[in-house]
Amino acid sequence: MLNSFKPTWMVNSIYQITPEQLKKKNIKVVLTDLDNTLIAWNNPEATEETLEWIELMKKSGIHVVIISNNKRKRVSKVATLLELDFIPNAMKPLQKGFKQAQAQFDMTKDEILMVGDQITTDIKGANHAGIRSVLVKPILDSDAWNTRFNRFVELKIMNYLIKKDPDMKWRNSIHERV
């Protein structure tokens, strides 16, 4: 049952995911969570590193799409600044946003990757949708009030998963699991 929370890969940061890694795995679209994955949850501004990563993906033909449970106004503001497509009100971990992305970009599930910092929303949702996933460490140690309970639950689930699968470790890139 808890395997539905298990990511395909665990990487320290979204910035360690490269176009070369993605192309090797035939990934053409990266769905990324917004808060604490792409930008800090309490700051709508992107860092220089974020801007460089997005530009590198675009130049390499990898489409980056924000998929967030936040309302349209919040996601639109950031997506416009970053010049990215977005799917607000995704209702993760439900499949709604993932199905919308797949239809909108006319891609197979194997061509899409979900990157997020929460196993209870991003990873579980991707797994239910049949999409590979990357769990990244949150940008900030703090969270919005509505995320704190999820973090408590996630800690329990992660401890269980790591105990059952010692290969679940933070890496510096996506790779094939042994």
Side-chain angles (χ1 to χ4, degrees):
M1 177 183 142
L2 293 181
N3 280 341
S4 65
F5 295 98
K6 191 174 182 178
T8 311
W9 299 284
M10 293 170 51
V11 176
N12 290 307
S13 163
I14 196 169
Y15 313 122
Q16 293 173 309
I17 301 169
T18 67
E20 295 77 26
Q21 294 167 18
L22 298 172
K23 287 181 178 186
K24 215 175 209 181
K25 297 178 185 332
N26 195 36
I27 294 168
K28 298 175 180 167
V29 175
V30 173
L31 304 177
T32 178
D33 179 51
L34 181 60
D35 292 329
N36 265 350
T37 299
L38 197 59
I39 63 169
W41 70 269
N42 58 357
N43 185 352
E45 301 295 318
T47 64
E48 190 62 37
E49 192 174 22
T50 302
L51 297 172
E52 289 171 7
W53 183 82
I54 291 169
E55 189 58 31
L56 178 64
M57 291 296 155
K58 286 180 180 179
K59 283 182 180 175
S60 300
I62 307 288
H63 202 84
V64 178
V65 180
I66 298 171
I67 179 171
S68 175
N69 286 347
N70 281 302
K71 294 186 178 357
R72 176 172 291 280
K73 183 179 177 183
R74 162 100 169 102
V75 183
S76 174
K77 181 178 180 181
V78 177
T80 300
L81 289 171
L82 300 178
E83 298 178 2
L84 295 176
D85 289 318
F86 64 97
I87 298 171
N89 306 308
M91 298 175 64
K92 297 176 292 183
L94 301 178
Q95 292 184 40
K96 175 190 175 276
F98 298 101
K99 285 183 177 182
Q100 184 179 339
Q102 187 178 355
Q104 186 174 335
F105 299 101
D106 193 29
M107 297 285 168
T108 67
K109 293 176 183 182
D110 289 338
E111 295 172 309
I112 301 172
L113 178 72
M114 175 64 202
V115 180
D117 67 308
Q118 291 189 62
I119 61 171
T120 56
T121 54
D122 306 316
I123 304 307
K124 185 174 176 95
N127 286 340
H128 279 303
I131 295 171
R132 291 176 286 179
S133 62
V134 177
L135 178 66
V136 294
K137 292 181 180 177
I139 291 174
L140 297 177
D141 290 333
S142 66
D143 283 298
W145 66 270
N146 57 341
T147 305
R148 291 184 190 136
F149 178 74
N150 282 1
R151 295 287 184 203
F152 174 77
V153 172
E154 285 181 351
L155 182 61
K156 304 282 185 202
I157 295 169
M158 282 297 288
N159 287 339
Y160 172 84
L161 291 173
I162 290 169
K163 186 177 177 181
K164 292 287 182 191
D165 182 358
D167 192 47
M168 277 190 58
K169 296 179 181 163
W170 294 105
R171 312 287 177 160
N172 292 320
S173 68
I174 62 175
H175 67 288
E176 295 302 320
R177 291 179 64 97
V178 183

